[in-house]
Amino acid sequence: MGDFRARLFEEEGQLQERIHKLKEFLASDRYDTLPEIDRKDLKEQLTHMEGYASILTRRADRKCNNA
């Protein structure tokens, strides 16, 4: 079970880092140069990544409370 918990926490951390980097990109000048369809897709991607992160956080919280 510990191996599973470690992988879960690692995945959560990696996803949070990717979310942070995507948010930084969305706030950059480079983002503004993209075609509208790409900007829309990146915003939608962020929404889904944040939803996935929320689920991972809930699962990780349950693993901590049931340790």
Side-chain angles (χ1 to χ4, degrees), residues 10-53:
E10 182 179 341
E11 182 177 357
E12 180 188 17
Q14 290 173 353
L15 182 57
Q16 291 296 342
E17 178 64 24
R18 288 183 181 118
I19 287 170
H20 176 74
K21 287 179 180 180
L22 180 53
K23 285 181 175 181
E24 283 183 341
F25 180 74
L26 294 180
S28 74
D29 292 336
R30 196 167 145 218
Y31 169 78
D32 294 333
T33 67
L34 296 175
E36 183 179 346
I37 189 72
D38 292 331
R39 293 192 312 262
K40 182 180 176 189
D41 282 347
L42 286 169
K43 286 183 179 181
E44 184 176 349
Q45 178 179 330
L46 177 61
T47 298
H48 291 285
M49 289 171 71
E50 289 175 327
Y52 181 40

